[in-house]
Amino acid sequence: ALAASLLAYSGAAFAAQSAEIYRTASHSYGRVDLRAQLAPGSGVVSTGVAAQTALVGAVVAVGGAGTDGATFAALMATGAGLARLMQGRRAEAAGWLARSAERFRESYSDAPSESWGRPIGAIKARVLAGDREGAAGDAGWALEQEPAGSESPIGRYAAVLALLVLERDADALPLAEGLCHEPEPAFPPAVAEALGGLAAGDAARYRDGVRQVLASFEGRDAYLEDIPVADTVGVLEALAARRGL
């Protein structure tokens, strides 16, 4: 939430030379509260970007002490990357998203079983960054964790996403079709439909699904890292572009 609040701020410009984290609190359900105090500095920093970058970079650099720390750092880097994408600063976004993918992978080794959000987060970060080689590497690593055999639809989603990144559409299709039969609380049907369209090479089906995903996003009042970016749509569209859909 800190990354989002800092990065989303667009009021008057202020200047800062340093920041000090002075309070953190963790919660059993994964939320982390973090507060920082910015020291005043000389010069003008447009919307605090330099201070934001320094602060979030510091958290990402030191946040990997254990699974929870690495996951927190990954989420912070994701927030920074999504914010940069919104600003059209793609090169900077790619750097943050690469950090995010690295931290997600780092957090997986000691995570509880069925922690499929981590490989999904790594793959999505690489795709959003436009890093095809990195996405392929993370997709291969994700498949080594055998998500296709998971009882969880989120595990099978990780498998479908990885297979689509590797352009193994024929292998992805039966898993995507299986997701279409999951009840809505377990997996969003619009995402399943879009994945099925991608795997089948069915442009009409894909477009119908991705429009529903976007409509669902537009109806939300809460977002990943509090930043209103339809990241799933961005990933789906990147995969569709490769297929000419």
Side-chain angles (χ1 to χ4, degrees):
L2 173 71
S5 62
L6 287 174
L7 293 168
Y9 179 71
S10 60
F14 292 94
Q17 292 180 326
S18 64
E20 178 183 359
I21 298 172
Y22 66 86
R23 177 173 175 266
T24 63
S26 61
H27 302 265
S28 59
Y29 51 88
R31 172 185 165 194
V32 177
D33 288 340
L34 185 148
R35 301 289 183 268
Q37 183 169 339
L38 299 180
S42 58
V44 175
V45 181
S46 176
T47 65
V49 167
Q52 297 163 13
T53 301
L55 179 58
V56 177
V59 173
V60 171
V62 303
T67 299
D68 290 343
T71 304
F72 177 43
L75 293 171
M76 291 283 282
T78 300
L82 292 176
R84 295 309 189 264
L85 280 178
M86 289 180 68
Q87 295 169 331
R89 297 157 63 177
R90 297 197 63 86
E92 292 179 47
W96 283 112
L97 292 167
R99 293 183 180 95
S100 170
E102 291 164 2
R103 290 302 198 182
F104 273 126
R105 282 192 63 160
E106 178 184 333
S107 73
Y108 184 80
S109 59
D110 295 322
S113 62
E114 302 287 309
S115 296
W116 301 117
R118 291 166 169 84
I120 290 169
I123 294 170
K124 290 175 71 173
R126 296 289 190 186
V127 172
L128 290 170
D131 180 0
R132 294 188 68 160
E133 182 177 351
D138 282 344
W141 162 75
L143 291 175
E144 290 173 3
Q145 316 312 315
E146 301 183 343
S150 173
E151 294 184 4
S152 165
I154 304 305
R156 283 174 272 130
Y157 170 44
V160 173
L161 197 59
L163 291 166
L164 290 173
V165 165
L166 295 172
E167 299 184 4
R168 292 171 53 185
D169 294 6
D171 293 328
L173 184 56
L175 290 170
E177 297 291 6
L179 291 175
C180 291
H181 294 98
E182 290 288 338
E184 185 165 359
F187 195 81
V191 175
E193 194 67 18
L195 293 170
L198 285 174
D202 186 333
R205 180 182 178 186
Y206 167 70
R207 284 294 160 198
D208 182 61
V210 79
R211 277 195 293 266
Q212 292 181 53
V213 177
L214 182 58
S216 173
F217 168 82
E218 291 172 339
R220 295 181 192 171
D221 55 9
Y223 309 96
L224 176 67
E225 288 305 283
D226 293 337
I227 297 180
V229 179
D231 61 304
T232 298
V233 173
V235 171
L236 292 170
E237 287 287 77
L239 295 174
R242 297 185 191 181
R243 294 162 172 78
L245 297 180

